Amino acid sequence: MTHDSATRAHDQVAEVSAHPNPATVAPTKATKEQRQTLLATGMGNALEWYDWGIYSAFAIYFATEVFNPKDPLAALLGAMAVFAVGFVARPVGGFVFGWLADHLGRRASMISTVGLASIGSLMIGLVPTYSAAGAWAAVVLLTARLLQGLAHGGEMPSAQTYIAESAPAARRGLWSSLIYVSGTSGIVIGLLFGYLLNLLLSKQDMQAWGWRVPFIIGAVLGLYTLIARSRMKETEAFTAAKATTRPPIWPEIRRNWRSALRVIGLGIGATVCYYVWSVSAVQQAVLIHKMDQGTALLASVLSNVVLIISLPFWGMFSDRFGRRASMMIGTGAPVLLFPLLVNTVGQSFWSLFLPATLILVLMGATLAVTPAVFAEMFPTRIRTVGVAVPYAVAVAIFGGTAPYLQSWSNAAFGPSAFTIYVVALLIISTVVAWKLPETRGNDLTQ
């Protein structure tokens, strides 16, 4: 998604409101300041997902550059293990930057996360090869992923809290869809880089240096986003809460333990299923089904574009019919479709594009409203850290291990084992959504 199209999308969804009561919201066109704020928020969130996407998409190229090239499968598993280890840092980053957001402000946290993530991207782009540095190349890659893990653990919770608190209550679902619109746009941009580089460069050039380009560009875009975020204003909900007496954080977290468990339960199925169809589909289609790399990238890019288009509609659906209904559709429908669709992938463009598009659009019902649902579960004083820690734990344990587990289980047991695993997680998320109290329109100034 380009900056111009993102700005037009922001124009369509933005409304000016300082009152949380939906009945008092008067829709007006977004001001220039609001558009810039939404764009800066979305860009930082997009960069997190961009980092995630390009690592997975380009791992088949840099794995044998950073790890011992004598055993390509072991090198790929090593790259995927580093990918997973980076997720271990997410809960720590979630707590650190969540605490920062709840004590010093959402803005301060969002500036810090994008800066740290950019350093990690630059390190990966400049990582030495195995032939030049031996095992130290893997150490540099691991360090970069740990830095990104810390940053990513705090980025999305801070961004989604900022958006939810800034949105009019009657349009909070629509506004929250911008988080996954921007995030999926980041993945699309990363995959497009892969597609274009495949067209422009030979396989040898891609292997030697082409894979570095997206990481270096990510670092440069991170610097621009950092400057844009430094001009943002703090949310009114945080400013109002800051003026009141703050109780100790741990008793507040313990008091909201049910909400924390719901965050984990809702997150596990959507995280892994989304990863399979939005990020790792290219790698698996090429390695298992022998699909052409460029064909797989194009199919994945276009399916994600359709998902992006669907997200605002799901956000509006939740504003009208409720968060609970939307969340149940987004995880319940894939339970039934996942086993069938995963077996339709073959060597052709359509064999990947059609199943990926169908399941991603249905998942959009959950993805679009997750930021609003999470924000509506917690009081202002612990809203970011309350979401950040359990969400990071869920993503670290299930999302971070997904690429390694998928590659390993496919080699050891065949694709059906991983399919059963994903379906089981989706069932858990659907049950949690079914038992979820309706949070639409909750007052976020509490």
Side-chain angles (χ1 to χ4, degrees):
M1 176 175 286
T2 64
H3 289 182
D4 287 339
S5 61
T7 301
R8 286 194 297 271
H10 295 156
D11 282 342
Q12 293 168 1
V13 303
E15 297 175 18
V16 179
S17 175
H19 199 292
N21 186 343
T24 65
V25 174
T28 60
K29 187 176 180 179
T31 65
K32 180 180 178 181
E33 181 181 289
Q34 286 177 315
R35 292 196 300 270
Q36 291 174 340
T37 295
L38 289 169
L39 187 59
T41 304
M43 282 184 63
N45 189 54
L47 283 171
E48 176 197 341
W49 295 53
Y50 172 87
D51 291 339
W52 188 25
I54 60 174
Y55 188 102
S56 182
F58 287 89
I60 55 177
Y61 292 112
F62 69 73
T64 52
E65 290 290 296
V66 179
F67 295 88
N68 192 335
K70 292 182 180 179
D71 188 343
L73 178 59
L76 179 61
L77 289 175
M80 291 297 97
V82 170
F83 184 78
V85 169
F87 279 78
V88 174
R90 290 181 75 110
V92 179
F95 178 79
V96 171
F97 291 108
W99 180 92
L100 184 67
D102 287 334
H103 283 74
L104 299 183
R106 320 314 191 197
R107 174 178 169 274
S109 179
M110 292 166 66
I111 291 172
S112 304
T113 56
V114 76
L116 190 61
S118 298
I119 293 173
S121 292
L122 184 61
M123 289 178 65
I124 296 176
L126 301 178
V127 64
T129 61
Y130 182 87
S131 60
W136 284 106
V139 173
V140 174
L141 182 66
L142 176 62
T143 303
R145 280 297 299 165
L146 286 172
L147 292 178
Q148 287 186 326
L150 287 170
H152 295 167
E155 167 59 34
M156 187 171 176
S158 299
Q160 66 186 22
T161 298
Y162 188 91
I163 287 292
E165 290 182 348
S166 301
R171 295 291 182 267
R172 194 178 294 136
L174 177 58
W175 277 49
S176 76
S177 70
L178 292 174
I179 293 296
Y180 273 86
V181 166
S182 61
T184 307
S185 296
I187 290 179
V188 166
I189 293 169
L191 292 175
L192 276 174
F193 268 128
Y195 180 68
L196 293 174
L197 288 172
N198 260 286
L199 291 178
L200 298 173
L201 301 178
S202 66
K203 187 175 181 180
Q204 292 73 22
D205 286 339
M206 281 291 294
Q207 192 82 28
W209 58 270
W211 61 268
R212 297 179 183 272
V213 175
F215 293 100
I216 294 174
I217 290 176
V220 174
L221 290 175
L223 177 61
Y224 173 81
T225 305
L226 188 150
I227 295 171
R229 285 188 168 183
S230 67
R231 298 169 181 166
M232 292 165 50
K233 290 186 176 180
E234 192 51 76
T235 68
E236 293 183 9
F238 174 80
T239 303
K242 189 176 180 181
T244 64
T245 303
R246 288 178 172 273
I249 186 172
W250 289 112
E252 283 293 300
I253 290 176
R254 287 196 297 270
R255 190 175 296 119
N256 289 272
W257 65 271
R258 287 185 181 84
S259 294
L261 288 180
R262 289 188 185 110
V263 169
I264 294 174
L266 291 170
I268 57 176
T271 295
V272 177
C273 189
Y274 178 82
Y275 170 82
V276 169
W277 289 103
S278 188
V279 179
S280 76
V282 172
Q283 184 188 103
Q284 297 302 311
V286 172
L287 294 178
I288 295 177
H289 303 286
K290 309 305 178 185
M291 187 181 294
D292 174 71
Q293 173 85 5
T295 300
L297 283 167
L298 181 60
S300 187
V301 164
L302 293 180
S303 64
N304 276 281
V305 168
V306 178
L307 167 63
I308 291 169
I309 294 170
S310 74
L311 288 169
F313 294 99
W314 284 119
M316 289 186 285
F317 175 91
S318 79
D319 284 329
R320 179 168 183 143
F321 299 104
R323 316 291 190 228
R324 184 169 168 269
S326 191
M327 297 291 285
M328 288 181 65
I329 292 172
T331 54
V335 167
L336 304 174
L337 294 173
F338 190 96
L340 173 65
L341 295 180
V342 79
N343 288 322
T344 65
V345 180
Q347 291 185 323
S348 71
F349 167 86
W350 295 106
S351 72
L352 177 57
F353 172 74
L354 290 178
T357 299
L358 177 58
I359 203 162
L360 285 174
V361 167
L362 288 170
M363 283 195 67
T366 289
L367 303 177
V369 303
T370 293
V373 171
F374 287 175
E376 289 164 347
M377 286 182 182
F378 293 90
T380 304
R381 54 190 174 271
I382 62 159
R383 181 163 294 134
T384 311
V385 74
V387 172
V389 174
Y391 180 77
V393 168
V395 172
I397 294 175
F398 297 95
T401 58
Y404 185 89
L405 186 60
Q406 187 175 22
S407 299
W408 174 79
S409 64
N410 285 346
F413 307 108
S416 358
F418 190 73
T419 297
I420 293 170
Y421 171 72
V422 176
V423 169
L425 295 181
L426 286 168
I427 290 173
I428 293 172
S429 293
T430 304
V431 171
V432 175
W434 176 50
K435 293 182 173 291
L436 185 72
E438 182 55 61
T439 60
R440 178 183 54 165
N442 279 8
D443 185 356
L444 297 191
T445 61
Q446 300 296 322

